[in-house]
Amino acid sequence: MSTMRPLLIGSVLAVAALLTGCATNTAAPGEAPQSPTPTPTEPSMSGDWTASPPSLENASVVWLDGGKALGVVTWGSGSRSCYPVVQDVTVANQDIDVVLAAPTVDGVCTQDLREQLLLVGLPEGVDSKAAATVTLSTAQESQEIALAARPADAATTPAGELSATLTPLGVVLISYGSSSCPPVVDTIDGTTVTFTTIEQACTMDYSPRATLLDIPDVAVGTQLNLVSLDGAADPVAVTVQN
């Protein structure tokens, strides 16, 4: 947590009182003295600070990206920079251990409680069409989650290609691009999803990003039209898979 450092204004107020004289606080007979109104100040913060540890209460896990990744859902601040970070992933057969840590952020985490969707890439050898056991761990707690197998006819997605997976949370879009500039949804009209234009400097890496799409009544096989995804001039189509 950060240390709040309110400005020390006592000496300034004392000087102001001397300059303005006692008349400013003198009340008429029978009236209560008027207290000076302090000037509001903004709290200041400096340096990086560590966000609260991720909560594993009600955490969940789903297959994503054609079985090549996991979507781990924790709960906490909705500020994206305050999401937990994946510290380590180990796999032994179908047992998957994911270690999470609190991020070090430069700023303030909002005080809301929302789903935090983390994309966890998996090494080769994990069979998404077989059941698996996922153990989520932090420095404070751990939780074991049984992950059901994907359907035998579930689609596979080539590495580096868009995918949209129907999950209990909604449709999760996996796109590739700068990790510092994940897609941000502007509007959703039926099956057309329009993204906002990112106006900031982006890192030049090419990484998978998970974006949750709140599309009601969507089904496996539905085609989505993605407009302005990563600034693309033409709409991009992707089919929702299971």
Side-chain angles (χ1 to χ4, degrees):
M1 296 292 294
S2 63
T3 302
M4 306 302 295
R5 300 176 181 174
L7 297 176
L8 300 178
I9 61 173
S11 59
V12 176
L13 291 177
V15 173
L18 290 174
L19 292 176
T20 55
C22 298
T24 55
N25 285 328
T26 301
E31 294 183 0
Q34 298 295 316
S35 299
T37 302
T39 301
T41 59
E42 293 293 332
S44 61
M45 303 184 66
S46 61
D48 292 346
W49 59 287
T50 302
S52 301
S55 173
L56 300 183
E57 184 177 0
N58 298 320
S60 59
V61 181
V62 295
W63 298 107
L64 291 178
D65 201 15
K68 298 190 295 299
L70 296 178
V72 174
V73 178
T74 57
W75 292 81
S77 172
S79 301
R80 200 175 189 98
S81 61
C82 301
Y83 281 21
V85 295
V86 179
Q87 194 171 56
D88 190 28
V89 179
T90 57
V91 176
N93 297 320
Q94 290 293 100
D95 295 326
I96 306 169
D97 293 331
V98 180
V99 179
L100 303 176
T104 298
V105 297
D106 185 8
V108 178
C109 295
T110 56
Q111 295 299 309
D112 53 341
L113 183 65
R114 300 183 60 181
E115 299 109 326
Q116 300 169 321
L117 177 60
L118 312 176
L119 185 63
V120 181
L122 295 175
E124 293 184 4
V126 178
D127 185 2
S128 65
K129 296 182 180 179
T133 300
V134 180
T135 301
L136 304 178
S137 301
T138 68
Q140 291 77 26
E141 59 181 323
S142 65
Q143 182 172 334
E144 186 176 283
I145 299 174
L147 185 58
R150 297 175 70 224
D153 60 349
T156 57
T157 306
E161 289 192 8
L162 282 172
S163 68
T165 305
L166 183 60
T167 76
L169 296 173
V171 176
V172 178
L173 174 70
I174 302 298
S175 60
Y176 288 78
S178 172
S179 60
S180 66
C181 296
V184 177
V185 175
D186 183 15
T187 61
I188 296 179
D189 182 9
T191 58
T192 298
V193 183
T194 303
F195 296 87
T196 60
T197 300
I198 305 297
E199 296 180 351
Q200 68 179 59
C202 301
T203 56
M204 298 301 292
D205 59 330
Y206 190 72
S207 304
R209 297 91 46 95
T211 305
L212 184 61
L213 306 178
D214 185 13
I215 305 175
D217 302 324
V218 70
V220 173
T222 300
Q223 180 175 292
L224 305 180
N225 295 312
L226 311 178
V227 179
S228 298
L229 178 63
D230 290 320
D234 298 322
V236 179
V238 63
T239 300
V240 177
Q241 62 186 13
N242 53 8

